[in-house]
Amino acid sequence: SARWVARSTSCSTIGRGERRPRRGTILADWLDGLKLFGGMVYLVVGGDLLVRGSLGLARRAAIPPLIVGLTVVALGTSAPELVISLHSAFSGFSGISIGNVVGSNIANVLVVLGVPALIHPARAESAIGRQASFMFGISLVFALLCLLGPLGLLHGGLLVGLLVTGMVLTARGGVAMPGIDLEEAEVEFERVLGLPHELPGIVLFIVAGSAALGIGADLAVEGCVAVASQFGVSEAVIGATLVAFGTSLPELATTVIAAIHRSSDVAFGNVIGSNVLNILGIMGLTALLIDVPVPASILRFDLWVMLGCALLLWGLAQKRIAIGRRMGSAFLLAYLFYY
């Protein structure tokens, strides 16, 4: 009886972000790793299904492609990161929530730009400089909010307000929100393969995608907490490394394809746009719904690495310096050192 009470007490602290006791079996350790991996797979597949279903619904409802590009395409592709952040925050693991965003922004610069540079040099186009300045300014604002204390309703409102402002400027031709190609949005319906046409198929895609996102978030967060306890580190560390790298894989795939086609502006725009959406969209919406404490480890180290990466990307974009194989290799080595 005493042993059962002790175990129940230790398990009840998990929801408040404390580390779980080590299970002590190899099988359990492997299962925890599989939960994390399987959760990431569910998130990627669920996000893809949700975007396709939403695009099919938008076409059936005759919604202008411009609105689709600014909403469904822009925010829908960030659904895995958003669901992970919301689920972990509401489960009491704020370290995973904010660690995922900070770590993803680091991985986007060092890995998502570093790997394609090994295939073909990437150079920012002239218009990217303004977008990079917007991204760097957003990163500074986010860092300041983190230093001031837990991210709450007012902080979330500020971030979401900046997101809406950026989208409005983009719709008016200001191109404040990078990664949103309005001309490409005009042919988005024809470009996306496997788009559902009939209403039952659209509903199936949306429901299946939403369900997969929910299952994936639950598995990924549970696996993340378990893996963190196995290695004796905080959930924030796993969120900033394993989870962040996993949620950056779609961006990596996009930039690799862009490098094969020698479209360096696509690579830069994708990374900058993803970083902006991570901060304004994901952390903004999460902070609107629930207070998000910032772990001390994030404040001591990861936040400054993220700012350094944002500054590096801003400098490359302003000077239009090409990222070649040497610099791409240096980016990857820097990420391994951070990891």
Side-chain angles (χ1 to χ4, degrees), residues 17-38:
E18 296 184 14
R19 282 199 291 269
R20 187 173 59 177
R22 185 177 174 87
R23 294 184 182 180
T25 65
I26 297 178
L27 178 60
D29 293 348
W30 274 101
L31 288 176
D32 291 333
L34 286 176
K35 282 183 180 179
L36 179 57
F37 176 77

Side-chain angles (χ1 to χ4, degrees), residues 110-131:
L110 298 181
V111 178
V112 177
L113 279 181
V115 171
L118 301 179
I119 302 173
H120 184 267
R123 185 190 302 271
E125 300 296 329
S126 57
I128 297 293
R130 180 171 50 183
Q131 301 171 357

Side-chain angles (χ1 to χ4, degrees), residues 75 82 86 90 156-157 159-160 163 278-290:
L75 297 177
L82 177 60
L86 286 174
F90 277 101
L159 295 176
V160 172
L163 175 64
N278 281 344
I279 293 175
L280 298 184
I282 295 173
M283 285 313 306
L285 289 174
T286 303
L288 272 179
L289 298 175
I290 186 173

Side-chain angles (χ1 to χ4, degrees), residues 94-95 98 146-147 234 236-237 293-304:
S94 61
I98 196 168
C146 289
L147 292 173
S234 67
V237 172
V294 184
S297 60
I298 298 291
L299 292 175
R300 284 195 306 265
F301 181 64
D302 303 87
L303 190 64
W304 306 108

Side-chain angles (χ1 to χ4, degrees), residues 89-147:
F90 277 101
S91 300
F93 304 111
S94 61
I96 300 175
S97 177
I98 196 168
N100 178 36
V101 169
V102 173
S104 290
N105 282 19
I106 295 171
N108 282 344
V109 175
L110 298 181
V111 178
V112 177
L113 279 181
V115 171
L118 301 179
I119 302 173
H120 184 267
R123 185 190 302 271
E125 300 296 329
S126 57
I128 297 293
R130 180 171 50 183
Q131 301 171 357
S133 298
F134 182 69
M135 183 266 309
F136 182 59
I138 291 302
S139 301
L140 286 175
V141 171
F142 176 66
L144 179 61
L145 294 179
C146 289
L147 292 173

Side-chain angles (χ1 to χ4, degrees), residues 15-88:
R16 293 191 289 271
E18 296 184 14
R19 282 199 291 269
R20 187 173 59 177
R22 185 177 174 87
R23 294 184 182 180
T25 65
I26 297 178
L27 178 60
D29 293 348
W30 274 101
L31 288 176
D32 291 333
L34 286 176
K35 282 183 180 179
L36 179 57
F37 176 77
M40 302 305 297
V41 172
Y42 267 104
L43 289 170
V44 172
V45 173
D48 180 69
L49 290 175
L50 182 60
V51 169
R52 292 176 188 274
S54 301
L55 286 175
L57 180 62
R59 181 176 59 181
R60 189 177 180 86
I63 298 175
L66 173 62
I67 304 300
V68 175
L70 289 173
T71 54
V72 176
V73 177
L75 297 177
T77 52
S78 296
E81 291 94 330
L82 177 60
V83 173
I84 276 283
S85 294
L86 286 174
H87 186 84
S88 55

